[in-house]
Amino acid sequence: MEDAPAPQARERRGSLFEVKSSKPKICGSSVMTMAIQPESSYEDISFRRPAQKIQYENTYKMVPDVRFQAGKVKTIIDESLATLEKEEYDVYHCRELAKHLSQDIKDKVKEIGMTRHKIISWVTIGQKCDQSMRIGSRCLWDDGNDNFAWGEFKNPSLVATAIVYGIYQD
């Protein structure tokens, strides 16, 4: 009786995620060598890297350092709207006037120093002719940190309303 050849062991198939452990190819070196004399130090090297700009991480403050000061903002609004005393209502002139007043109020409020608040200024000017006007707005609000101030002005020709929102940005 002849011995039948033993069946060959099946090779195991590799997994899709199996990583072969092969030797990495050397494509060059990123390491530079240099000779330094014993009396010199590393600070004397003229080709050192320039200092990198420091990048600060977010502070994630949950409470502002300075709260929105509605009283001061209200006086700024009233002073700015008082400049409309001698203005007559004109559609095109009042459109530009509202833009300039809004930017002026916003700039003055930013000077108060509420650095972590987003300041939103909104000025509406309408003609006064025995009619009513309603202004509404909606936004996400944090009662503890966000606030607003508003003011209105009337003369025989026009009605103006200014609203300033201070939204805390953590």
Side-chain angles (χ1 to χ4, degrees):
M1 249 199 228
E2 285 184 36
D3 290 328
Q8 290 192 3
R10 287 177 76 185
E11 268 190 48
R12 185 170 180 236
R13 254 180 26 192
S15 169
L16 174 68
F17 301 106
E18 189 175 299
V19 179
K20 293 183 180 179
S21 60
S22 63
K23 223 178 189 183
K25 295 179 182 177
I26 299 174
C27 299
S29 175
S30 63
V31 178
M32 182 176 86
T33 59
M34 59 185 203
I36 298 178
Q37 295 179 359
E39 61 271 357
S40 68
S41 67
Y42 285 105
E43 295 177 11
D44 294 338
I45 301 171
S46 62
F47 53 88
R48 66 180 168 187
R49 291 185 183 176
Q52 292 182 352
K53 184 179 177 185
I54 297 173
Q55 292 183 343
Y56 295 101
E57 295 292 324
N58 293 335
T59 58
Y60 299 108
K61 289 185 178 181
M62 300 310 288
V63 178
D65 296 331
V66 178
R67 296 208 176 266
F68 186 82
Q69 300 167 6
K72 288 183 179 180
V73 174
K74 171 86 168 120
T75 57
I76 291 171
I77 291 171
D78 291 339
E79 289 171 1
S80 295
L81 292 179
T83 61
L84 299 173
E85 184 67 41
K86 296 184 176 148
E87 293 290 333
E88 291 290 320
Y89 183 79
D90 176 52
V91 176
Y92 302 107
H93 177 65
C94 286
R95 180 187 309 163
E96 295 302 314
L97 192 58
K99 289 179 188 177
H100 291 296
L101 276 174
S102 179
Q103 188 63 42
D104 184 43
I105 291 170
K106 184 176 172 182
D107 292 340
K108 287 180 182 177
V109 169
K110 283 186 177 183
E111 289 176 6
I112 293 175
M114 297 176 285
T115 55
R116 296 185 72 97
H117 283 85
K118 178 165 181 72
I119 305 299
I120 302 165
S121 177
W122 180 15
V123 175
T124 305
I125 300 176
Q127 186 176 11
K128 187 175 184 181
C129 56
D130 296 328
Q131 61 192 18
S132 65
M133 179 171 63
R134 290 186 182 184
I135 297 173
S137 66
R138 291 183 180 187
C139 62
L140 295 175
W141 199 259
D142 177 11
D143 289 335
N145 298 321
D146 303 336
N147 207 345
F148 73 99
W150 68 279
E152 62 182 353
F153 176 81
K154 296 178 185 177
N155 74 9
S157 176
L158 57 85
V159 176
T161 304
I163 305 170
V164 176
Y165 298 97
I167 311 297
Y168 178 64
Q169 297 179 330
D170 49 18

